Amino acid sequence: MESKGIDINPNTVLAAGGVVVAYFGVIKPTLEKLGILDNADVIDNKAAETTQVAWKPTFWQQAPTNALILTHEAVKDYISIISDSFGVFSDNYNAVFGVFSNLKTKSQVSYLAYKFQQSEKVGLYQFLGNGGGLLPWDGLSSAHLATINKFVSSLPNYKP
């Protein structure tokens, strides 16, 4: 008795591979960025915007008198760095993270959020998520935003 092998069409294999690459390389990240498909980082990031006091532009106003706040010049520089870090074709996550790594307290983050909203007419957290653009890939990735969230949540409220 002779066994028959399965004929595999190379075009079918290439097409299937193309579908897998398209899904994981373009479709899935786009759906996650749009909020249609959530991963763990997306879920954590959505919660952080509403629960993390540092992102609230008024949190710094409740600070005690000896709380750490930013100087006018530092805020101006940080807003410029953040705004300039988002382009049409790429975003400079390292520059954005560099700003946050210089901050020592949640009150400083909040003050930056306050001044950013005044200057750019959009919330800082929202801007980080969409980079001020309309395309699904604009803004920081969920993983990068999650890294910033984890860093910010580890900061003390008012004094280092």
Side-chain angles (χ1 to χ4, degrees):
M1 183 171 233
E2 193 176 311
S3 82
K4 281 190 160 186
I6 299 174
D7 285 335
I8 298 176
N9 184 337
N11 291 333
T12 304
V13 172
L14 284 175
V19 168
V20 169
V21 168
Y23 176 74
F24 287 104
V26 177
I27 297 169
K28 186 174 185 269
T30 300
L31 292 175
E32 287 173 351
K33 189 75 175 165
L34 291 172
I36 296 168
L37 183 64
D38 289 345
N39 64 26
D41 286 339
V42 171
I43 293 167
D44 290 346
N45 292 341
K46 285 180 182 178
E49 183 175 15
T50 56
T51 61
Q52 178 59 258
V53 294
W55 298 116
K56 297 185 186 313
T58 56
F59 174 71
W60 71 273
Q61 294 170 343
Q62 303 157 20
T65 54
N66 60 348
L68 214 54
I69 305 296
L70 297 168
T71 66
H72 176 72
E73 283 303 311
V75 167
K76 196 170 124 186
D77 289 344
Y78 291 156
I79 289 172
S80 178
I81 290 168
I82 291 170
S83 296
D84 293 345
S85 293
F86 293 89
V88 175
F89 299 108
S90 67
D91 302 325
N92 187 346
Y93 163 74
N94 291 330
V96 174
F97 188 76
V99 167
F100 288 97
S101 67
N102 285 324
L103 303 179
K104 306 295 181 222
T105 64
K106 290 177 184 169
S107 58
Q108 287 183 323
V109 176
S110 173
Y111 188 69
L112 178 60
Y114 174 76
K115 289 298 192 177
F116 191 91
Q117 189 166 18
Q118 286 182 334
S119 171
E120 305 300 309
K121 308 300 184 230
V122 65
L124 174 58
Y125 194 86
Q126 179 185 357
F127 186 84
L128 294 175
N130 67 25
L134 301 172
L135 300 173
W137 51 82
D138 289 337
L140 297 178
S141 70
S142 299
H144 285 153
L145 194 53
T147 301
I148 290 173
N149 272 324
K150 286 176 186 146
F151 176 79
V152 167
S153 69
S154 72
L155 295 174
N157 283 348
Y158 302 111
K159 295 186 276 184

